């Protein structure tokens, strides 16, 4: 009897042992997917992690139900990488697996509900009104219905208790069906049944279609497209769509030809991704400074596997990346090019496709499950050289021969996954992934993370610097606008200073473009009663609601719950509700009234929800169809627009004044990066930074574009107060519906930690937002020496969790960890 250890996508540590039926014993391999029973009625897709002939002791072992594959869908380096991620980020391998694999590769059981045909309502056990609504819906359906669909159709968010009650009353039956989400893309093709060169067969084919002119037309088109008559060319496959477009016939005509035996109609699984544009194969010409930096990177890699390229904005880092990718592809290896935002893949993909054509692969979360499965399968099936462009999730792909990892804008907090687990940093994970494949890593940024620059200066990473813009252009001039003084002089209209308005107007008159950055989406961040001061808050979270004008709703940006705008104040019962402050939606509206002849685009979470949302906005702005781009932090990240001469930073204080030790770093990086969008093709770039606190030392560094000066000040403060890179921070989060219970649990957990770790433990305290989705939150901060073993820390935390669980002290609580947090909020 053979036994296998199966990894399942569940938040439980370790693997699960299953026996292999004799009939399947020769078909199991590490990395294969298997369907296995789990719990009383559930079935999951698992991955075989190992095999053993030794039977486990002490419990009954279940059989695997089904083997899904004839080849491994997960490779050995991936399993090793998943285990590292679970170990380092203090989660389970199952949680990593759930995040890593496309949903289309995970067949799971889904609960279906149907009416019990023998049920009769009893006088003493009447159905409630909610149960009647659900039953009426189920009875009106011909087939059994999935549980989540019943909830959606009836409008009951928490449908489980209602179904459970109906089940107890014998009104419904439930069953578990295996559901496969992936659907391959198939194309219909048409081919001649006559062999190439068979002139007699071809004559017979023409004889059989003489009575139907449309069939003859289709036959002629098929011969031409397929290169049937060309002696020096191989027979080409022809899609039915292509044949119909070329000949003007319908599917009925082609079907009639197939009935006569002239053609075969067949289907074939195809990739959803292909590049049909011009492939030049020409590498960009490098300036002297770029060529020197490229040479320095290659030399750095002789000594260090990881190198930081610090290049000022518009210094031409991307051109260097393209040369490095070409070098790796010519060696027959693969490259991974990580970007922090999906928006960046649009411009980068086109630039790389012009050079590398179909060797460019794109992977990010806006793709459908089917799209992502196709990319996964493409990389599994071939070790051919290619370059994958993607956001952080691209680190999970099954690379066969990874030779280079590029992490562009490596400082970006968008590389950090917040929820759910694994709460990993895509940059750090990519570095580990590269080391497992024996690949080199290049980190690129104009404003590197303080931790990264420290490692480069202290010799852990290599360091190459590009200190001048491409073609010697000057960095943009930065103006700090004192909004308090400007308001006193009457130079502020709405949210814009006179200087900002003048700069935008002048850029429009010159036929140039402007970007306006505000770090808030929505119309207005606060709704408030002007009579009593009441502020509407989310019922589930401790945050005020943001007004969105396009939907005329107050929306919670933490749980997404929408609320109607009250006509009268709930507190004082007077019609005094007004909206205060500015979000990207309101800035767009105000700019539209100030510059009515200008075309304006807005790029934020609300305008880019669709798959092509980013591409449309960026395309229109690149082509000059819109002159002003209003956006949130999406517009700060590495976008290249040649006609932008003015950048306005609206309300810089909202970025600077944030309760977190990284707030200053994040503010400097964000403002310097968005400033770098200006003047990329000329010397007339100007940046207006609006603030009510112009004396903040950060702005002096920004005016001088002095990253080194800023870094020296920041690293001294980090060392003085014992923050990264001098320690590693781990947050312990505890959530509970009862505020008193969460406080007691957090205090007990912190007390036990202090016995083991002493003054490395701080808190518990309330995070910036202390309640989300009805759960109250407490946070404990650990400052652990960088050389300490994370595995040992995990073991200590796990021991305390088990002790408190066994004593029922964690009853009702949610507990998780955040290693190397980017921002100190839940």
């Amino acid at each position: 009897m053979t036994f296998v250890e199966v990894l399942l996508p569940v938040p439980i540590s370790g693997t699960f042992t299953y026996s292999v039926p004799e009939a399947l014993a020769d078909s199991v391999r590490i990395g294969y997917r298997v369907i296995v029973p789990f719990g009383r009625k559930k079935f999951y897709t698992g991955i075989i992690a190992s095999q053993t002939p030794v039977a486990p002791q002490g419990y009954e072992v279940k059989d695997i139900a089904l083997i899904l594959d004839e080849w491994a869908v997960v490779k050995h380096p991936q399993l090793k990488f998943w285990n590292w991620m679970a170990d380092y980020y203090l989660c389970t391998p199952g949680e990593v697996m759930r995040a890593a694999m496309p949903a289309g590769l995970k067949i799971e059981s889904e609960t279906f509900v149907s009416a019990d045909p023998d049920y009769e309502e009893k006088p003493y056990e009447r159905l409630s009104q909610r149960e009647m609504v659900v039953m009426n819906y189920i009875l009106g359906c011909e087939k059994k219905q999935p549980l989540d669909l019943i909830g959606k159709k009836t409008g009951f968010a928490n449908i489980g208790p209602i179904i459970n009650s109906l089940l107890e009353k014998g009104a419904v039956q439930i069953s578990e069906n295996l559901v496969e989400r992936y659907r391959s893309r198939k194309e219909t093709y048409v081919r001649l049944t006559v062999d190439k060169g068979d002139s007699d067969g071809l004559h017979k084919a023409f004889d059989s279609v003489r009575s139907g002119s449309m069939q003859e037309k289709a036959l002629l088109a098929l011969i031409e497209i397929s290169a049937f008559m060309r002696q020096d060319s191989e027979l080409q496959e022809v899609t039915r769509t292509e044949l119909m477009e070329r000949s003007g016939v319908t599917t009925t005509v082609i079907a009639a030809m197939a009935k006569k035996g002239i053609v075969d109609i067949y289907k074939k699984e195809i990739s959803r991704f292909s590049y049909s544009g011009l492939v030049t194969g020409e590498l960009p010409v490098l300036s002297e400074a770029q060529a020197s930096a490229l040479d320095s990177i290659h030399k750095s890699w002789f000594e260090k596997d990881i190198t930081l390229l610090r290049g000022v904005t518009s210094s031409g880092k991307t051109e260097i990346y393209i040369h490095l990718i070409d070098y790796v592809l010519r060696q027959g290896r693969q490259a991974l090019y990580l970007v922090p935002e999906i928006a960046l893949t649009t411009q980068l993909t086109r630039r790389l496709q012009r050079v590398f054509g179909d060797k460019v692969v794109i992977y990010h979360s806006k793709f459908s499950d089917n799209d992502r499965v196709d990319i996964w399968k493409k990389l599994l099936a071939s070790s051919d050289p290619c370059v994958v462009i993607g956001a952080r999730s691209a680190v999970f792909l099954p690379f066969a021969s990874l030779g280079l990892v590029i992490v562009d804008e490596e400082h970006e907090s968008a590389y950090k996954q917040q929820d759910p687990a694994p709460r990993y940093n895509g940059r750090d994970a990519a570095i580990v992934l590269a080391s497992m494949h024996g690949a080199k890593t290049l980190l690129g940024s104009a404003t590197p993370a303080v931790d990264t620059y420290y490692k480069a200066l202290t010799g852990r990473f290599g360091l190459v610097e590009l200190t001048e813009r491409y073609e010697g252009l000057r960095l943009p001039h930065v103006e700090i606008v004192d909004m308090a003084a400007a308001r006193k002089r009457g130079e502020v209209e709405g949210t814009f200073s006179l200087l900002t308005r003048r700069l935008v107007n002048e850029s429009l008159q010159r036929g140039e473009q402007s970007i306006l950055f505000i770090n808030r989406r929505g119309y207005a961040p606060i709704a408030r009663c002007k009579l009593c001061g009441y502020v509407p808050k989310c019922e589930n979270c401790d945050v005020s609601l943001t007004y969105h004008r396009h939907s005329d709703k107050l929306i919670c940006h933490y749980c997404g719950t929408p609320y109607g705008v009250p006509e009268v104040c709930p507190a004082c019962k007077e019609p005094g509700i007004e909206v205060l402050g500015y979000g990207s939606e309101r800035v767009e509206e105000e700019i539209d009234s100030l510059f009515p002849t200008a075309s304006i685009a807005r790029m934020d979470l609300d305008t880019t929800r669709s798959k092509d949302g980013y591409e449309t906005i960026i395309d229109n702005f690149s082509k000059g169809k819109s002159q002003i781009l209003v956006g949130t932090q999406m517009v700060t990240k590495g976008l290249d627009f040649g006609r932008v001469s003015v950048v306005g930073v609206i309300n810089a204080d909202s970025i600077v004044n944030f309760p977190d030790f990284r707030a200053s770093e994040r503010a400097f990086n964000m403002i310097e990066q968005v400033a770098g969008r200006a003047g990329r093709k000329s010397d007339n770039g100007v940046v207006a930074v609006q603030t009510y606190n112009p004396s903040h030392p950060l702005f002096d560094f920004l005016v001088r574009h002095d990253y080194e000066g800023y870094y020296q000040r920041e690293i001294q403060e980090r060392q003085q107060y014992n923050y990264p890179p001098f320690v590693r921070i781990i947050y312990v989060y505890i959530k509970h519906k009862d505020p008193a219970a969460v406080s007691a649990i957090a205090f007990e957990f912190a007390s036990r930690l202090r016995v083991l770790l002493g003054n490395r433990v701080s808190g518990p305290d309330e995070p910036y937002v202390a309640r989300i989705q009805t759960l109250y939150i407490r946070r404990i901060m650990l400052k652990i020496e960088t050389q300490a073993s994370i595995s040992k820390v995990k073991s200590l935390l796990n021991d305390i969790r088990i002790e408190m669980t066994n004593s029922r002290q964690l009853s009702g609580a949610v507990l998780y960890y955040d290693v190397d947090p980017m921002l100190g909020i839940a």
Side-chain angles (χ1 to χ4, degrees):
M1 176 70 74
T2 302
F3 298 90
V4 290
E5 293 296 321
V6 178
L7 178 61
L8 296 177
V10 293
I12 303 173
S13 294
T15 55
F16 299 87
T17 306
Y18 288 87
S19 54
V20 181
E22 290 297 329
L24 301 177
D26 294 333
S27 304
V28 295
R29 300 285 187 280
I30 293 173
Y32 280 27
R33 289 178 303 156
V34 290
I35 299 290
V36 294
F38 187 78
R40 293 178 63 189
K41 292 186 178 181
K42 285 282 185 183
F43 284 86
Y44 280 102
T45 299
I47 298 292
I48 298 176
S50 63
Q51 293 180 246
T52 177
V54 180
Q57 302 297 317
Y59 61 92
E60 182 183 353
V61 182
K62 296 178 181 179
D63 283 349
I64 60 173
L66 188 67
I67 297 175
L68 294 175
D69 304 306
E70 295 180 359
W71 59 83
V73 298
V74 175
K75 299 180 179 179
H76 170 70
Q78 285 176 285
L79 291 172
K80 183 180 176 183
F81 181 60
W82 292 0
N83 285 324
W84 168 83
M85 186 173 281
D87 195 48
Y88 186 82
Y89 289 105
L90 306 183
C91 61
T92 68
E95 288 173 310
V96 179
M97 175 190 170
R98 181 168 285 278
M101 290 184 69
L105 290 176
K106 298 187 295 250
I107 301 173
E108 295 181 4
S109 58
E110 189 171 314
T111 302
F112 285 79
V113 184
S114 59
D116 189 320
D118 299 326
Y119 171 72
E120 291 183 8
E121 189 175 11
K122 302 176 180 64
Y124 55 85
E125 197 176 56
R126 295 288 185 187
L127 300 184
S128 69
Q129 186 175 353
R130 289 158 67 91
E131 290 169 347
M132 283 295 297
V133 171
V134 172
M135 275 302 294
N136 287 336
Y137 171 74
I138 294 172
L139 289 168
C141 300
E142 292 182 8
K143 299 180 180 179
K144 54 189 176 183
Q145 298 292 297
L147 191 63
D148 57 349
L149 182 62
I150 296 173
K152 183 184 291 186
K153 293 293 186 181
T154 57
F156 298 134
N158 190 13
I159 192 69
I162 302 173
I163 295 296
N164 190 53
S165 177
L166 288 170
L167 187 64
E168 290 177 354
K169 292 175 180 178
V172 297
Q173 298 173 336
I174 63 171
S175 58
E176 300 285 329
N177 284 14
L178 289 174
V179 178
E180 184 171 13
R181 296 181 177 88
Y182 173 66
R183 295 292 181 271
S184 61
R185 181 178 178 182
K186 293 182 179 178
E187 184 75 74
T188 302
Y189 288 81
V190 182
R191 65 188 168 205
L192 281 166
T193 55
V194 180
D195 292 333
K196 191 171 182 179
D198 183 359
S199 56
D200 291 339
L202 191 59
H203 280 301
K204 288 180 182 178
F206 273 108
D207 288 342
S208 65
V209 299
R210 290 193 188 282
S211 59
S213 60
M214 295 304 292
Q215 292 183 27
E216 187 177 22
K217 199 173 180 182
L219 182 57
L220 286 167
L222 181 58
I223 290 169
E224 181 187 352
I225 303 169
S226 64
F228 186 87
M229 301 299 291
R230 294 180 207 156
Q231 300 299 321
D232 58 344
S233 176
E234 291 184 3
L235 204 62
Q236 302 296 310
E237 287 191 297
V238 180
T239 67
R240 185 172 62 183
T241 302
E242 187 181 9
L243 179 59
M244 289 164 60
E245 288 176 353
R246 180 71 67 89
S247 62
V249 303
T250 63
T251 54
T252 307
V253 173
I254 298 173
M257 294 172 68
K259 196 170 183 179
K260 290 180 179 179
I262 303 168
V263 298
D264 279 336
I265 300 173
Y266 63 99
K267 288 191 176 183
K268 181 178 172 182
E269 187 173 325
I270 63 168
S271 169
R272 289 174 166 82
F273 308 98
S274 61
Y275 178 63
S276 57
L278 177 66
V279 181
T280 66
E282 295 178 3
L283 297 174
V285 178
L286 300 184
S287 67
E288 186 177 338
Q290 288 173 314
S292 175
L294 178 63
D295 185 55
S296 297
I297 291 168
H298 281 294
K299 289 178 179 176
S300 171
W301 279 338
F302 281 118
E303 298 179 359
K304 313 283 184 184
D305 289 331
I306 308 161
T307 295
L308 169 65
L309 173 62
R310 187 179 83 83
V312 297
T313 55
S314 195
S315 58
K317 294 186 289 295
T318 305
E319 285 78 9
I320 295 174
Y321 299 158
I322 291 173
H323 277 261
L324 291 169
I325 291 167
D326 177 68
Y327 175 74
V328 169
L329 297 187
R330 282 190 285 107
Q331 290 180 321
R333 303 191 72 184
Q334 299 166 332
L336 171 61
Y337 189 156
L338 284 186
V339 293
E341 287 279 359
I342 295 169
L344 293 178
T345 61
T346 299
Q347 286 190 329
L348 280 173
T349 299
R350 289 172 187 166
R351 292 177 71 175
L352 267 65
Q353 282 177 333
R354 282 195 291 269
V355 180
F356 303 116
D358 282 332
K359 291 180 181 177
V360 179
V361 178
I362 312 103
Y363 188 84
H364 55 65
S365 60
K366 285 289 182 181
F367 284 160
S368 69
D369 282 340
N370 288 338
D371 291 340
R372 280 181 276 178
V373 170
D374 277 355
I375 295 169
W376 189 284
K377 286 186 171 182
K378 177 178 179 176
L379 289 173
L380 272 177
S382 172
S383 59
D384 292 344
C386 66
V387 52
V388 176
I389 303 176
R392 61 176 180 254
S393 59
V395 298
F396 294 120
L397 286 169
F399 295 98
S401 179
L402 191 62
L404 171 65
V405 171
I406 296 170
V407 185
D408 196 18
E409 311 294 352
E410 64 81 30
H411 63 277
E412 274 292 344
S413 59
Y415 280 122
K416 175 70 172 179
Q417 163 77 9
Q418 298 295 342
D419 277 311
R423 295 169 179 85
Y424 68 101
N425 187 310
R427 175 200 63 199
D428 299 340
I431 291 172
V432 173
L433 178 72
S435 71
M436 289 181 177
H437 283 267
K440 302 296 183 184
T441 303
L442 183 68
L443 309 175
S445 177
T447 55
V450 169
D451 312 50
T452 302
Y453 201 56
Y454 175 80
K455 290 172 184 175
L457 291 179
T458 54
R460 184 171 170 184
F461 296 168
L463 177 61
V464 176
E465 302 194 83
L466 262 176
T467 56
E468 62 179 55
R469 279 190 152 187
Y470 188 67
E471 295 183 340
L473 296 173
R474 292 197 305 269
L475 287 164
H477 173 68
V478 178
E479 287 275 359
I480 305 299
V481 182
D482 185 343
M483 291 296 285
R487 282 198 181 277
K488 288 180 181 177
R489 295 193 297 267
E491 296 177 352
V492 177
E493 184 176 338
T495 194
F496 294 104
S497 68
L498 176 63
L499 174 65
T500 306
R501 296 197 307 273
R502 177 172 59 81
L503 290 173
V504 173
N505 187 50
E506 289 172 355
S507 77
L508 289 172
Q509 290 176 353
R510 293 192 301 266
E512 296 169 341
Q513 295 172 303
S514 302
I515 292 178
L516 298 172
F517 162 57
I518 183 165
N519 198 36
R520 276 189 182 276
R521 66 183 176 96
Y523 186 82
I526 296 177
R528 187 182 70 182
C529 177
K530 59 187 174 185
L531 300 175
C532 71
Y534 167 80
V535 175
K537 289 192 173 183
C538 178
E539 295 174 358
N540 306 313
C541 312
D542 280 343
V543 291
S544 57
L545 300 171
T546 300
Y547 178 63
H548 287 247
R549 186 156 191 166
H550 76 281
S551 60
D552 194 30
K553 295 284 186 183
L554 295 170
I555 296 176
C556 174
H557 282 185
Y558 278 80
C559 69
T561 304
Y563 299 84
V565 181
E567 294 183 2
V568 296
C569 172
C572 68
K573 310 304 180 185
E574 294 291 333
I577 297 292
E578 62 179 351
V579 293
L580 303 171
Y582 284 80
S584 54
E585 195 178 341
R586 191 171 188 178
V587 169
E588 178 190 29
E589 180 183 274
E590 193 166 298
I591 280 290
D592 189 43
S593 65
L594 289 171
F595 305 102
T597 60
S599 176
I600 301 160
R602 173 164 57 93
M603 189 160 73
D604 56 25
L605 188 63
D606 298 313
T607 61
T608 56
R609 292 187 187 278
S610 68
K611 179 180 176 181
D612 300 321
Y614 295 102
E615 190 170 346
T616 302
I617 295 168
I618 291 170
D619 268 356
N620 289 340
F621 196 64
S622 296
K623 294 172 182 175
K625 293 181 180 179
S626 46
Q627 288 82 50
I628 302 172
L629 178 62
V630 177
T632 55
Q633 56 183 306
M634 291 179 184
V635 302
T636 69
K637 301 174 175 33
L639 295 168
D640 187 12
F641 301 116
R643 288 190 288 267
V644 173
S645 60
V646 173
V647 167
V649 179
I650 314 302
N651 192 13
D653 304 316
S654 67
I655 314 168
V656 176
N657 301 324
F658 196 86
D660 185 80
F661 75 93
R662 293 192 194 273
S664 173
E665 175 184 2
R666 185 166 180 259
F668 180 89
N669 292 349
M670 199 175 286
I671 297 173
E672 181 67 10
Q673 287 285 340
V674 75
R677 304 313 107 203
R680 297 175 75 85
K681 302 297 182 186
S682 65
D683 278 332
N684 61 345
V686 183
V687 182
V689 181
Q690 297 184 174
T691 174
Y692 285 91
N693 187 18
S695 61
H696 195 290
L698 188 72
F699 295 123
D700 184 46
F701 295 120
L702 286 166
V703 167
R704 293 184 281 113
H705 299 286
D706 183 9
Y707 173 82
E708 289 93 341
Y710 159 74
Y711 166 81
Q712 289 299 333
R713 179 179 181 275
E714 183 69 16
I715 201 70
Q716 288 170 13
E717 284 193 359
R718 298 276 186 96
Q719 188 166 23
Q720 181 180 353
Y721 296 108
N722 201 29
Y723 277 103
F726 303 101
V727 294
R728 175 180 288 121
I729 287 183
I730 301 172
Y731 283 137
V732 181
Y733 282 101
I734 299 167
K735 297 183 178 182
H736 201 286
K737 288 189 175 183
D738 184 345
V742 77
S743 295
I745 293 168
F747 180 81
E748 175 64 21
F749 203 100
S751 298
R752 295 186 182 219
L753 275 173
R754 281 193 181 89
V755 173
L756 301 170
L757 299 175
N759 60 7
R760 299 178 183 88
V761 182
S762 299
D765 57 17
E766 293 186 7
Y768 179 64
V769 178
R771 184 172 67 107
I772 296 177
Q773 294 180 336
T774 74
L775 295 176
Y776 293 88
I777 307 166
R778 295 296 181 269
R779 182 183 67 193
I780 303 165
M781 181 170 68
L782 309 182
K783 290 183 177 179
I784 306 297
E785 293 84 351
T786 54
Q787 65 272 21
S789 166
I790 283 286
S791 295
K792 289 183 179 178
V793 175
K794 182 178 183 178
S795 179
L796 292 175
L797 291 168
N798 196 45
D799 288 345
I800 295 173
R801 180 185 62 81
I802 291 172
E803 288 171 7
M804 292 183 66
T805 299
N806 290 339
S807 61
R808 304 187 65 81
Q809 289 175 289
L810 286 178
S811 179
V814 176
L815 173 70
Y816 65 87
Y817 313 107
D818 189 3
V819 180
D820 300 336
M822 292 298 289
L823 285 176
I825 59 175

